[in-house]
Amino acid sequence: MRRPLTLSRRGLLGGALAAIAMPRAFAEPLSDLSRIYRETPLRVAMPSFASPPFFEAAGADNAGIDVTLAQAIARTLEADVTFDRQPRTFDEAVDQIADGAADLAICKLSRTVRRGRLIRYSRPYAVFNHGLIANRVRLARMAGSQPVEPVIRDFSGVLGVIGHSAFAEFAGASFPKASIREFADWTSMIDAVRAGEIDMAYRDDFEIKKLLVDDPSLTVVARSITLNDKTDTLAIGIRPDAAHLAAFVDLFLDISQGGAVMKTDEIIARYRASRGV
């Protein structure tokens, strides 16, 4: 008759100590991270145009705040990273991860309610205020003898936004009485402000301050306005079926940034330094 196997207390203790003394690698995760370890690199969607200091145009050296952030996340995952620069707009970058064609969108991506129905978001890593740049003559004509502030609050003129951007979504809620005109890019919208074709252009205050760093002469024909009661939070977009990756990205941001977020003045200072201004 076979005797039952028994273990003494000493034997159990010895086995536990041996297990502690013997280092081992972590097991491959049984989660959505498994594919990144097994099959393909971390795939990051980023539009083809440039948005310095966050990212440069496709074809240029991969550089900028968002590129460095993507590379650091991949390095911490012990994975390679590849950048998909096919998207022509921010919304197309969102579509890439919504469809599972990329894992993350790291591209100065604003959080919006509509996008939140399609993808996951990390916690914010930067926060700006909303901003306007107004044609001085048209704004003065609208205001007349009254202060500018109530004109802005109840604005009913022509407002420019970049099509397929967060501010195209924000505009209806922020300025319900305005006539919204969409532009293909920032440059053509600012040209319309200069020429008096529209009253104001709507974007985050960082881009407006950056514009005035690049072209101080614009203040002759245009006035910048910061909306301190409205914020634009930037976050990493995450494919909707990647719960573990989403938790990992939040953990990475918490540990690497200590819960802090970048703000306009900090990033403008970095931009000025990069331009030698």
Side-chain angles (χ1 to χ4, degrees):
M1 180 177 179
R2 180 179 296 175
R3 297 176 60 186
L5 178 64
T6 60
L7 291 174
S8 67
R9 183 178 299 176
R10 180 178 296 176
L12 286 169
L13 181 60
L17 290 173
I20 293 172
M22 184 180 298
R24 66 182 181 83
F26 285 113
E28 182 180 288
L30 297 175
S31 73
D32 49 79
L33 290 181
S34 300
R35 180 199 53 76
I36 295 171
Y37 286 104
R38 277 203 315 262
E39 302 167 16
T40 58
L42 183 70
R43 302 166 301 172
V44 175
M46 187 175 282
S48 57
F49 56 82
S51 184
F54 290 90
F55 52 89
E56 299 298 333
D61 291 338
N62 281 328
I65 292 170
D66 284 341
V67 171
T68 300
L69 181 57
Q71 291 168 337
I73 291 171
R75 189 164 54 249
T76 309
L77 281 169
E78 299 180 3
D80 293 328
V81 61
T82 183
F83 294 93
D84 184 342
R85 302 302 304 272
Q86 296 181 74
R88 294 164 297 178
T89 66
F90 292 108
D91 278 353
E92 285 189 9
V94 169
D95 289 341
Q96 288 284 87
I97 55 174
D99 294 341
D103 302 303
L104 303 175
I106 308 180
C107 53
K108 194 178 178 281
L109 189 68
S110 298
R111 297 193 305 172
T112 75
V113 172
R114 187 189 65 78
R115 290 172 179 171
R117 297 200 303 263
L118 302 174
I119 63 173
R120 294 174 183 262
Y121 275 113
S122 72
R123 73 160 184 78
Y125 65 91
V127 59
F128 303 138
N129 287 110
H130 290 203
L132 299 161
I133 189 153
N135 179 278
R136 286 186 179 275
V137 172
R138 290 181 67 125
L139 183 61
R141 188 181 300 139
M142 283 187 293
S145 59
Q146 64 179 316
V148 168
E149 288 73 15
V151 174
I152 298 301
R153 277 198 300 271
D154 203 36
F155 180 70
S156 58
V158 182
L159 184 71
V161 295
I162 298 174
H164 304 287
S165 73
F167 283 84
E169 182 175 340
F170 295 152
S174 298
F175 300 101
K177 296 181 182 179
S179 299
I180 308 300
R181 180 174 165 188
E182 293 193 355
F183 289 81
D185 54 56
W186 185 225
T187 300
S188 59
M189 184 160 61
I190 296 305
D191 287 344
V193 172
R194 282 183 185 277
E197 296 171 8
I198 61 174
D199 297 306
M200 300 191 297
Y202 186 33
R203 208 174 178 188
D204 62 73
D205 70 332
F206 166 75
E207 290 294 341
I208 290 171
K209 290 180 179 180
K210 185 178 80 170
L211 176 67
L212 297 178
V213 169
D214 293 338
D215 185 7
S217 70
L218 185 60
T219 57
V220 174
V221 295
R223 172 181 173 178
S224 64
I225 301 162
T226 297
L227 304 178
N228 292 314
D229 60 339
K230 296 182 182 296
T231 56
D232 174 29
T233 51
L234 305 188
I236 296 171
I238 304 161
R239 56 184 292 173
D241 60 342
H244 192 176
L245 178 58
F248 180 86
V249 169
D250 273 344
L251 176 65
F252 173 86
L253 291 173
D254 283 338
I255 292 174
S256 64
Q257 295 189 348
V261 295
M262 295 182 288
K263 295 187 177 180
T264 297
D265 289 346
E266 173 190 349
I267 302 177
I268 280 291
R270 292 173 63 168
Y271 182 73
R272 285 180 176 275
S274 71
R275 293 296 191 269
V277 178

